[in-house]
Amino acid sequence: MSAVPSFSFNDRDNARNYCAGGPANFMPGFFLMHRLAVQLLSERAADGARVLVLGAGGGFELKAFCEARPGWRYVAVDPAGAMLDQAKEEIGTAASRVEWIEGYIDDAPAGPFDAATCLLTLHMMKDDGTKLAALKETRARLKPGAPFILVDNCVDAAAPDFRRQMDRYSQFAQDSGVAPDFVARARESVESAGTCVSGARNEELLREAGFGTIEGFYTALSWRGWVATA
Ligand SMILES: C[S@@+](CC[C@H](N)C(=O)[O-])C[C@H]1O[C@@H](n2cnc3c(N)ncnc32)[C@H](O)[C@@H]1O
């Protein structure tokens, strides 16, 4: 698997800024998306379900899931220790319901899990086999038919309207009140990483990884979300 990306989430200041600045300032409907994720996962994940959370740093989705479903247990995977520390702080006493793995999907237990999520994380991996491997490894850890939620920034670096999509990404953050220099740095980080792909490409990767019934449930500017079954 790839190393922690160049804008390092393993840097304590970056991790703190991510959580303080809040992804909700960059993604329209961030908290509503969590609510929808809980609803969709709950179609199959009963009380007592074991849920794999890939890219769990910061703890935003863990907090939403823990509050909405007190009976679920979690395995939280993230290569950035600083982001996992933030997550532990964020969810407080619910941290006892989480097994923390500082690492990549390959480091996660075999499961089988009742559900899994990968929120705002796949776009940080290269499309050189790394995204596909992460999706395959996630699916391999799920019970047959178990739900998987993928939400990703689908600004497509190869698309002719890339600049316009990035302008909209930046404008939303600016209108949310994020400081212009922070917006500029976030934009630069997305652009220089060059790891975002289109929604169509993500759907293709989900299919290639073996997921079925791939349904879109969320669209906001360049952000897309799907629920798929293992
Ligand atoms: C933009 S943050 C999103 C965090 C959280 N899911 C959220 O929605 O707020 C991306 C997270 O993905 C983690 N990450 C980067 N590469 C990863 C990989 N290959 N596998 C798992 N997590 C990864 C980063 O360390 C970071 O914590």
Side-chain angles (χ1 to χ4, degrees):
M1 286 284 154
S2 64
V4 177
S6 57
F7 165 88
S8 178
F9 275 105
N10 223 354
D11 176 287
R12 295 219 164 258
D13 287 339
N14 285 345
R16 220 171 287 121
N17 283 338
Y18 177 80
C19 295
N25 290 330
F26 287 85
M27 178 181 187
F30 180 68
F31 295 112
L32 174 64
M33 177 273 287
H34 288 160
R35 211 180 108 188
L36 296 175
V38 169
Q39 179 185 330
L40 294 169
L41 294 178
S42 301
E43 289 174 353
R44 296 241 178 180
D47 201 32
R50 206 160 163 241
V51 181
L52 174 64
V53 181
L54 183 61
F60 286 99
E61 64 267 49
L62 278 172
K63 184 164 193 270
F65 298 169
C66 284
E67 284 175 2
R69 296 292 180 265
W72 288 358
R73 297 281 175 277
Y74 307 89
V75 171
V77 181
D78 199 295
M83 285 291 278
L84 288 181
D85 288 345
Q86 285 290 141
K88 288 171 196 167
E89 244 177 68
E90 181 70 20
I91 69 171
T93 54
S96 61
R97 288 159 53 196
V98 182
E99 181 185 343
W100 304 95
I101 310 270
E102 186 176 330
Y104 297 92
I105 185 65
D106 314 45
D107 302 306
F113 291 87
D114 299 290
T117 64
C118 180
L119 307 186
L120 285 61
T121 294
L122 196 71
H123 67 264
M124 303 195 64
M125 301 177 206
K126 288 187 179 168
D127 192 12
D128 60 355
T130 307
K131 286 180 199 285
L132 181 60
L135 291 173
K136 279 185 172 168
E137 289 297 322
T138 300
R139 182 172 163 265
R141 286 165 171 75
L142 285 166
K143 291 178 182 169
F148 171 58
I149 301 263
L150 171 66
V151 176
D152 209 28
N153 189 357
C154 297
V155 171
D156 178 7
D161 66 345
F162 178 60
R163 175 179 278 276
R164 189 173 46 138
Q165 290 189 44
M166 287 309 302
D167 287 346
R168 288 177 176 169
Y169 169 88
S170 302
Q171 191 63 49
F172 182 81
Q174 214 165 294
D175 290 349
S176 302
V178 180
D181 65 321
F182 194 84
V183 175
R185 275 206 294 139
R187 177 178 186 148
E188 205 280 320
S189 144
V190 173
E191 288 181 347
S192 61
T195 47
C196 291
V197 296
S198 68
R201 175 65 184 145
N202 270 346
E203 288 182 13
E204 191 175 72
L205 286 164
L206 282 167
R207 272 193 299 274
E208 250 183 89
F211 286 99
T213 57
I214 299 158
E215 299 171 288
F217 75 92
Y218 177 85
T219 299
L221 298 179
S222 56
W223 299 92
R224 300 284 180 276
W226 298 266
V227 59
T229 49

